[in-house]
Amino acid sequence: MGRDHGFHPVRITRIIQETSDTRTYVLDAPFPYRAGQFVTIKACGTLRSYSMSSSPETDAELMTTVKRVPGGLVSNWMHDHLAPGDVLETTLPAGVFCLREGGEAGSAHEFAAPVVAFCGGSGITPVLSLAKSALAGTGRPVRVLSANRDAGAVIFASALGELAQRYPGRFEVRHHLDDWEGFVTADQVREFAGGDTDADFYLCGPAPFMELVENALLTHGVAPERIFVERFAQATDPPPANIPEEDTPEQDGTLTLVLSGKRHTLAQRSGETFLESARRAGLAPPFSCEAGNCATCIAQVTEGEAKMRVNNALDEDEIAEGWVLTCQGEPTTPHVTVVYED
């Protein structure tokens, strides 16, 4: 059976003001999840994905933390209109920005490698979740470099301080404030990584920040498979306009899209994703990030085969069951059928 990717009503029980522009929404949502995952919220006629700041190992309630984004449709609506008792529509938790399997305390395969995280701004949200789970559920040391523009912008300062007191010698947090130190540099990244090149490195934050950190770690000798990156950048390019048939070469074959129970069959086009094909057919399937990160656009290949350019959301079991991120998936066989969930 595939994972449930539908939407579920969840009630807000509490709202915590973390900073002047960041709030944590405590949800009455008894969903199983892994540290580092996210939920996708349906609001204002669109979809947005937000990471959990809670940990299943340490928190009885599920919490998602939302920073107000200038001009952000959903984040501003949530900050301005939601109150305890209100109901949101969310998916079940998803995402693969998680601790590696097998690292549980007492496991025969327990990992001794440290967890080292670099986060910028609200990128601390899934990192806090990971840190709490790693500290409570394994014996691994955890180190976090949290970069913010100034002291007032630091999210979870108290929670991070409490972790440092509760796990002396196992948890270290370094707050980097841009107004005092300037932006994080590659040398500072390498210095914080130190000799722990065999650690698992987790990166979350603005794209330029993560690119700098990732490049610095690679030049420091960290293997690419040790670096885990969470990206939630919203696509800024408009959907492609209808392209004349003669302007785009077609493949031999057909693509059938099933959306809301209706079948739409059209010719395959080379280099076109399933989402792009759906738009070309005048359909309006669900999507959000368009970067292979949020799983909002998920559908199932029921006939034929497909490949994904990027996948930062689906696990191996889901891929084996035919699930595909339609913003990244494209056909690899002459005839493919893709079914969106109702």
Side-chain angles (χ1 to χ4, degrees):
M1 296 292 292
R3 182 188 294 172
D4 179 357
H5 296 281
F7 285 86
H8 303 264
V10 297
R11 188 173 302 277
I12 300 171
T13 61
R14 288 183 293 132
I15 298 177
I16 303 168
Q17 191 77 41
E18 303 288 358
T19 68
S20 62
D21 60 1
T22 305
R23 291 179 176 179
T24 292
Y25 297 85
V26 183
L27 306 177
D28 181 14
F31 301 148
Y33 69 100
R34 295 178 62 192
Q37 291 190 310
F38 59 85
V39 291
T40 297
I41 293 174
K42 182 190 293 185
C44 305
T46 188
L47 306 168
R48 291 292 185 271
S49 297
Y50 297 106
S51 295
M52 267 91 73
S53 50
S54 56
S55 157
E57 280 74 25
T58 63
D59 299 301
E61 299 169 298
L62 189 150
M63 307 176 200
T64 185
T65 301
V66 179
K67 182 175 181 178
R68 184 192 290 269
V69 178
L73 178 64
V74 176
S75 65
N76 281 278
W77 174 81
M78 292 180 70
H79 277 247
D80 293 338
H81 297 287
L82 292 181
D86 288 339
V87 174
L88 286 170
E89 285 190 274
T90 80
T91 61
L92 297 185
V96 295
F97 189 69
C98 302
L99 297 173
R100 286 189 295 150
E101 296 280 3
E104 295 79 6
S107 166
H109 303 289
E110 181 176 1
F111 296 125
V115 173
V116 181
F118 294 85
C119 48
S122 59
I124 186 63
T125 301
V127 167
L128 176 64
S129 178
L130 292 169
K132 290 191 288 189
S133 283
L135 292 168
T138 79
R140 304 172 70 183
V142 179
R143 295 190 286 118
V144 176
L145 188 152
S146 176
N148 290 277
R149 64 177 181 271
D150 54 44
V154 177
I155 306 171
F156 307 129
S158 296
L160 293 167
E162 290 172 4
L163 287 178
Q165 292 182 349
R166 189 181 310 158
Y167 297 97
R170 280 191 60 209
F171 180 71
E172 174 191 350
V173 59
R174 180 180 301 179
H175 292 289
H176 179 103
L177 303 179
D178 296 343
D179 63 343
W180 280 85
E181 306 175 69
F183 293 138
V184 172
T185 67
D187 285 342
Q188 290 171 325
V189 171
R190 289 187 284 265
E191 184 272 330
F192 190 75
D196 290 325
T197 55
D198 63 343
D200 285 344
F201 292 88
Y202 291 84
L203 284 55
C204 190
F209 171 84
M210 292 193 294
E211 182 178 0
L212 180 143
V213 173
E214 185 172 15
N215 289 337
L217 292 175
L218 292 172
T219 60
H220 193 53
V222 177
E225 61 269 20
R226 290 282 192 175
I227 301 174
F228 304 89
V229 183
E230 183 77 312
R231 296 183 174 92
F232 276 118
Q234 290 298 124
T236 56
D237 294 332
N242 290 332
I243 303 172
E245 294 286 337
E246 63 270 20
D247 289 347
T248 305
E250 295 182 359
Q251 293 180 345
D252 292 331
T254 58
L255 171 63
T256 299
L257 302 172
V258 182
L259 181 64
S260 300
K262 296 183 179 179
R263 299 175 68 88
H264 308 266
T265 300
L266 54 155
Q268 289 187 19
R269 285 185 174 174
S270 178
E272 189 174 68
T273 67
F274 296 130
L275 178 59
E276 290 167 342
S277 297
R279 287 169 171 166
R280 172 164 59 89
L283 306 178
F287 70 93
S288 181
C289 75
E290 293 190 76
N293 299 320
C294 73
T296 301
C297 66
I298 193 169
Q300 191 171 31
V301 176
T302 60
E303 181 183 11
E305 296 180 3
K307 65 179 180 181
M308 286 185 285
R309 301 169 183 172
V310 175
N311 171 36
N312 294 318
L314 303 182
D315 60 34
E316 292 181 2
D317 289 342
E318 289 174 305
I319 295 171
E321 292 172 352
W323 294 102
V324 64
L325 304 174
T326 59
C327 73
Q328 300 295 318
E330 55 186 70
T332 59
T333 55
H335 305 286
V336 179
T337 299
V338 179
V339 180
Y340 286 90
E341 288 194 320
D342 293 336

